[in-house]
Amino acid sequence: MAEKTVSLSQARRFILRRQGLIGEYQYSGAEGVAAFTRSAGCVQYDPVDVCGRSPEITYLSRVSDYTPAMLEDALYRRRTLVDCYDKNLCILPVEDWPCFGRTRSWFATAEHRSREAVEAAAPAVRQFLREHGPSFSEDLPDMGKADWFWSATGVARATLEALYFRGELCVHHRDGARRAFDFAENCLPAELLNQSDPYPEDDAHRAFLLKRRIGAAGMLWNRRSDAHLGIPDFTAERRCRAYDALERRGDILPIRVEGLKPAFYILSADEPLLDACAEDAFAPRTELIAPLDSFLWDRKQIEALFGFAYRWEIYTPAEKRQYGYYVLPVLQGERLCGRIQCLREKAADALTVRHYWPEPGCKTDRRALRRALKRLAALNGVRHIHMDFTN
């Protein structure tokens, strides 16, 4: 298939428009939350809440009138979306549940940490849920400690999470970062739970996941990438095989970006949008980008295309951080023009901006930035914005 060559600005506009980050808002209201999730395939979840959780900030930057209640309604009332495991912990369209049967089966058979303790506790945990209904781990009796994914935790919590990863349980609702679990059959329709896996072969499943990741990022290159996390056994050989299979089927198109050596890939269905981005200029917006936003999944690619080097320094020792613990990139039109560190301070009823670092050569539209901060403050349930920096 012949490769297209596009300018760097066309590639940028395409990614941003595909992501819903430039021009008029493409998404609004509760339906917009679901529509963006379907467009991206998944929205990565993380419980850290400094100035809003990563998925909330992700939706805020795309959905014009987003409120956290919209996401809660979609996840735990209407259940058009579901907490699931994809790239990592993610939010998925509920109709995609059958596509991850292989992932759930892997969790059921994997030799995970503290497996023996989890298997021993599982019958008692199931019985507790049958008797008490949706429950937080703290509701269960003390079953001792287990070595778990990040650190030692209670056996009850480890067992709930293990059964959740297997698909036996679902998140029934949340209280902040706390999850109440219930049996999947009490949360999802039987016809969905009983559907067979549409991708029973390993290579077909990997190709399905790769196609979703390309759509989520807008475009991807065939290189080792965090955008490929969660695709099982995705060695370099299997990655190349998946890209080749999708290209042969006509599902993806290779393109070249002027001035850059590697080939990039987009979904074939997105070719009209790519062509439109050669000429169309979209109205600029200023948005704050979440650390785990799909736009940033391949940070080396973002550096190559946008000239912006971003590292989420939450796990970096304080003395080695260049910027800060929880820093959001600032998108202004087609440029990543800076990064900002915000902190919600409930006692002061304020969102406090601790630092703002403009990118060299970028002039920040301060009014537009303040509008973005007002939206972030509203997301965090506070009324004021405090600027606690001097630059």
Side-chain angles (χ1 to χ4, degrees):
M1 186 175 295
E3 293 178 344
K4 283 191 172 189
T5 299
V6 303
S7 68
L8 185 59
S9 61
Q10 183 180 352
R12 287 176 174 175
R13 280 196 295 272
F14 166 76
I15 290 174
L16 293 171
R17 189 60 179 169
R18 179 63 172 80
Q19 287 273 354
L21 287 169
I22 197 170
E24 296 298 320
Y25 284 100
Q26 298 167 253
Y27 306 103
S28 64
E31 292 306 315
V33 170
F36 171 69
T37 309
R38 292 189 183 98
S39 175
C42 70
V43 174
Q44 191 167 343
Y45 179 82
D46 188 85
V48 176
D49 188 0
V50 175
C51 56
R53 295 182 184 88
S54 190
E56 295 169 343
I57 300 170
T58 296
Y59 287 113
L60 183 71
S61 61
R62 272 79 168 194
V63 181
S64 60
D65 51 352
Y66 175 75
T67 65
M70 294 176 185
L71 180 59
E72 185 173 343
D73 179 64
L75 281 167
Y76 308 125
R77 292 184 180 86
R78 291 185 296 124
R79 297 196 185 275
T80 54
L81 305 178
V82 63
D83 296 287
C84 200
Y85 195 95
D86 184 352
K87 177 178 179 286
N88 284 302
L89 292 176
C90 288
I91 297 164
L92 309 180
V94 71
E95 61 267 23
D96 287 353
W97 174 271
C99 303
F100 291 86
R102 302 173 70 81
T103 305
R104 295 188 289 273
S105 296
W106 180 85
F107 277 116
T109 58
E111 288 298 323
H112 55 71
R113 298 176 185 179
S114 299
R115 183 181 180 91
E116 186 175 334
V118 165
E119 295 304 325
V125 169
R126 294 186 185 102
Q127 185 60 33
F128 187 92
L129 292 176
R130 281 192 286 268
E131 293 176 359
H132 298 275
S135 301
F136 297 101
S137 60
E138 306 94 291
D139 298 332
L140 276 72
D142 186 0
M143 299 178 177
K145 292 291 184 181
D147 178 26
W148 205 228
F149 287 99
W150 295 105
S151 62
T153 192
V155 169
R157 178 186 173 189
T159 305
L160 286 168
E161 289 188 354
L163 298 178
Y164 159 67
F165 288 140
R166 298 176 193 181
E168 188 173 337
L169 305 181
C170 281
V171 178
H172 181 271
H173 65 277
R174 289 182 185 266
D175 179 9
R178 298 166 63 236
R179 294 168 294 175
F181 294 96
D182 195 7
F183 292 104
E185 59 262 32
N186 296 334
C187 299
L188 301 178
E191 58 269 25
L192 194 68
L193 295 174
N194 294 331
Q195 279 185 34
S196 58
D197 185 347
Y199 302 100
E201 301 296 328
D202 287 341
D203 281 351
H205 187 239
R206 293 187 191 103
F208 157 74
L209 292 175
L210 175 60
K211 183 178 177 182
R212 286 164 60 89
R213 305 297 171 78
I214 293 171
M219 67 171 62
L220 277 179
W221 51 17
N222 181 3
R223 290 185 170 186
R224 184 177 179 180
S225 169
D226 281 355
H228 299 141
L229 288 175
I231 303 179
D233 301 318
F234 212 46
T235 62
E237 178 185 355
R238 288 174 178 141
R239 186 183 74 233
C240 290
R241 199 156 67 220
Y243 272 96
D244 289 345
L246 290 173
E247 186 176 356
R248 284 197 306 273
R249 283 207 314 249
D251 289 347
I252 62 174
L253 293 174
I255 65 168
R256 296 279 176 179
V257 178
E258 290 176 353
L260 298 177
K261 185 177 180 180
F264 296 84
Y265 294 86
I266 67 168
L267 299 183
S268 299
D270 288 336
E271 186 177 12
L273 176 60
L274 178 70
D275 293 341
C277 289
E279 302 293 339
D280 289 355
F282 298 100
R285 298 202 325 248
T286 294
E287 300 289 357
L288 308 178
I289 306 299
L292 298 176
D293 194 302
S294 56
F295 174 58
L296 297 174
W297 278 355
D298 193 318
R299 290 169 189 161
K300 290 183 179 178
Q301 178 176 282
I302 289 298
E303 185 173 3
L305 292 169
F306 288 84
F308 185 87
Y310 177 69
R311 182 183 181 189
W312 193 30
E313 297 181 303
I314 192 168
Y315 301 116
T316 304
E319 67 276 8
K320 295 183 179 181
R321 290 177 191 145
Q322 183 179 2
Y323 297 103
Y325 170 78
Y326 204 88
V327 170
L328 309 178
V330 179
L331 177 70
Q332 182 176 284
E334 297 177 20
R335 295 286 305 275
L336 288 159
C337 71
R339 56 200 86 207
I340 197 163
Q341 185 179 38
C342 302
L343 175 66
R344 179 184 60 247
E345 296 186 304
K346 282 284 191 182
D349 193 20
L351 180 74
T352 297
V353 180
R354 289 290 175 84
H355 296 282
Y356 176 65
W357 298 270
E359 283 291 280
C362 286
K363 183 178 180 181
T364 304
D365 183 335
R366 294 294 179 122
R367 289 185 178 180
L369 177 57
R370 191 167 184 88
R371 286 195 295 270
L373 289 169
K374 284 182 68 175
R375 296 184 72 226
L376 184 63
L379 176 79
N380 282 273
V382 295
R383 292 180 297 169
H384 308 294
I385 299 170
H386 292 166
M387 300 289 190
D388 187 21
F389 65 94
T390 56
N391 60 325

